[in-house]
Amino acid sequence: MKFGTKAIHAGVHPDPSTGAIMTPIYQTSTYVQDEPGVHKGYEYGRTQNPTRNALQNNLAALENGRFGVCFASGLAATDAIMRLLQPGDEVIASNDLYGGTYRLFTRVWATYGIKFHFVPMQDAALVEQCVNANTRLIWVETPTNPMLNIVDIAAMSDIATRHQLKLAVDNTFASPYLQNPLDLGAHLVVHSATKYINGHSDVIMGAIICNDSDIHDQLKFYQNAVGAVPGPQDCFLCLRGIKTLHLRMEQHCNNAEKIAAFLLTHPLVGKVNFPGFTDHPGHAVAARQMRRFGAMLSFSLKEDSLEKAVKVMSATKLFSLAESLGGVESLIGHPASMTHASIPIEERRKTGVLDSLIRLSIGIEDAEDLIEDLKQALECSR
Ligand SMILES: *Cc1c(COP(=O)(O)O)cnc(C)c1O
């Protein structure tokens, strides 16, 4: 089955009691049992929910995986993967991570005895140098946030295989439509479904997809035992959003390509980070492992001035100044003060997050209007 068909049909079935074609919102905390221990497979809402099951099965299909497990947020999903580790274990992660993931690793899990190495993963040799007897997990994000670096998932899988490590990929920026890490050798795929998967900026949710049934059993155990589960209404909204994921992603990508080309020629714009450019250092890898190049991009101003960047961000009318990404509407953000404020300034500058760096999440409006909006906002910074 191809992607669009799976988006609409995988994991969902008409409701057996009424024939309702759309998966009902099973807004219930518990399920009545016929006798103690005799039930229909559902005991308690934290443990199982039919709306959540449909979503989990649908997401598994979209990532070409066997199992999906949903969580109350992307970070709760990431947290569940960290629970697979033991004190003393080591993790190699990209030095250009989503700020919240970096915070979870360094301020929560590091205090429980997990050691993290943050390396520029575009260079596979640097990753391999960090591997030692305690290494258990490689954590990849690609494209990265906000620099849009590309990590070669197959190369990371090769290292993981040779050293018997697990490979987890945060696939939020690409979405399952553009990139399927399990096909490239990853063991775990993580999503902030808050972003492209739900796509309408009205749900916070996370998901993990995997193929190994032992890992799936452990994740399901933590889903229930820790309890960071999404509610049924949010699962319904997410399922509804997914039905247009393939159409949305095409329009997101079309718009992003046009806007990236516009920014490239603008006299006030410095560097434009977009993996779709043939001279982007990760372009060849992106072309190999992604269907298209995504709809996230960032750019600095020719004059690296915080003040001028603030002027641009305050002047846009269609691009809303907000954190997050992947919704139908275009967003503009300032990583240094917003999403990446929790990363120390020296770390931030090392990875190229300049004071004037502006990040765009390109929505699915009409590209011409978005370009006009950026044009007038850039003029305001003169
Ligand atoms: C937003 C985001 C997360 C965290 O997801 P939440 O749903 O906000 O908890 C993790 N990784 C990436 C790449 C993200 O963009």
Side-chain angles (χ1 to χ4, degrees):
M1 231 189 273
K2 293 197 157 178
F3 193 93
T5 312
K6 285 196 287 191
I8 291 163
H9 293 289
V12 300
H13 308 283
D15 177 45
S17 64
T18 63
I21 192 160
M22 285 299 143
T23 308
I25 304 167
Y26 286 89
Q27 192 77 40
T28 187
S29 63
T30 191
Y31 308 87
V32 176
Q33 308 195 4
D34 297 332
E35 291 171 30
V38 179
H39 52 74
K40 300 178 172 64
Y42 294 92
E43 296 151 278
Y44 187 62
R46 172 166 26 76
T47 324
Q48 308 107 344
N49 179 281
T51 319
R52 193 175 87 200
N53 282 355
L55 175 61
Q56 291 179 156
N57 293 335
N58 180 269
L59 285 170
L62 295 187
E63 282 289 10
N64 302 327
R66 292 174 64 202
F67 308 108
V69 190
C70 286
F71 293 86
S73 69
L75 283 177
T78 299
D79 181 80
I81 292 179
M82 289 302 124
R83 288 174 194 276
L84 301 173
L85 303 174
Q86 301 294 323
D89 287 352
E90 298 191 10
V91 178
I92 305 171
S94 146
N95 69 341
D96 186 13
L97 284 182
Y98 173 71
T101 303
Y102 181 83
R103 181 177 55 201
L104 176 66
F105 287 178
T106 55
R107 296 188 47 199
V108 180
W109 284 100
T111 68
Y112 290 96
I114 308 290
K115 188 169 171 196
F116 295 89
H117 302 263
F118 296 99
V119 296
M121 286 198 157
Q122 306 87 279
D123 186 349
L126 291 179
V127 174
E128 191 139 25
Q129 278 169 24
C130 292
V131 176
N132 64 36
N134 297 324
T135 311
R136 295 290 174 271
L137 177 70
I138 300 178
W139 185 276
V140 171
E141 208 179 288
T142 182
T144 68
N145 175 36
M147 297 309 294
L148 285 308
N149 290 316
I150 300 294
V151 179
D152 186 337
I153 298 172
M156 293 302 123
S157 161
D158 185 50
I159 296 171
T161 305
R162 276 188 283 111
H163 299 279
Q164 296 183 315
L165 314 174
K166 293 286 180 255
L167 173 62
V169 178
D170 182 336
N171 204 26
T172 302
F173 265 42
S175 89
Y177 179 70
L178 298 180
Q179 177 171 276
N180 298 119
L182 296 178
D183 293 347
L184 301 164
H187 302 94
L188 296 142
V189 176
V190 191
H191 279 284
S192 169
T194 311
K195 316 295 168 54
Y196 289 107
I197 287 179
N198 179 64
H200 293 72
S201 307
D202 50 13
V203 164
I204 298 283
M205 188 164 336
I208 304 171
I209 299 97
C210 66
N211 277 322
D212 183 297
S213 62
D214 290 338
I215 294 179
H216 175 236
D217 287 345
Q218 290 180 70
L219 292 173
K220 247 189 357 187
F221 171 80
Y222 289 123
Q223 182 191 41
N224 181 52
V226 178
V229 294
Q233 167 108 16
D234 284 357
C235 293
F236 171 86
L237 284 169
C238 211
L239 272 170
R240 180 184 168 126
I242 287 169
K243 292 185 195 297
T244 55
L245 179 59
H246 49 304
L247 302 177
R248 286 187 282 114
M249 290 315 295
E250 286 291 336
Q251 175 77 355
H252 279 297
C253 293
N254 289 341
N255 283 353
E257 286 169 14
K258 289 180 190 158
I259 288 165
F262 156 75
L263 289 170
L264 197 59
T265 59
H266 197 284
L268 296 176
V269 170
K271 189 159 179 278
V272 183
N273 304 303
F274 180 60
F277 290 150
T278 50
D279 64 349
H280 182 285
H283 180 77
V285 176
R288 210 179 321 129
Q289 70 189 16
M290 298 175 76
R291 195 198 284 238
R292 293 186 70 180
F293 300 100
M296 294 302 299
L297 55 88
S298 62
F299 64 97
S300 56
L301 298 179
K302 205 151 257 170
E303 190 184 327
D304 182 38
S305 142
L306 176 71
E307 212 173 275
K308 293 204 161 182
V310 168
K311 279 191 183 155
V312 174
M313 289 179 287
S314 313
T316 54
K317 299 190 170 82
L318 287 175
F319 282 86
S320 302
L321 179 65
E323 294 196 9
S324 198
L325 62 114
V328 291
E329 67 291 301
S330 294
L331 300 180
I332 191 165
H334 185 234
S337 66
M338 296 166 76
T339 47
H340 286 57
S342 55
I343 297 180
I345 186 157
E346 318 80 61
E347 283 298 312
R348 214 175 63 208
R349 292 217 168 112
K350 248 193 262 169
T351 57
V353 181
L354 300 177
D355 290 345
S356 75
L357 191 79
I358 292 173
R359 190 188 83 170
L360 301 179
S361 168
I362 308 297
I364 62 172
E365 302 95 332
D366 289 297
E368 295 71 16
D369 293 327
L370 296 176
I371 288 172
E372 277 310 310
D373 191 32
L374 289 173
K375 206 181 271 176
Q376 64 82 21
L378 284 161
E379 286 308 318
C380 290
S381 76
R382 273 196 200 274

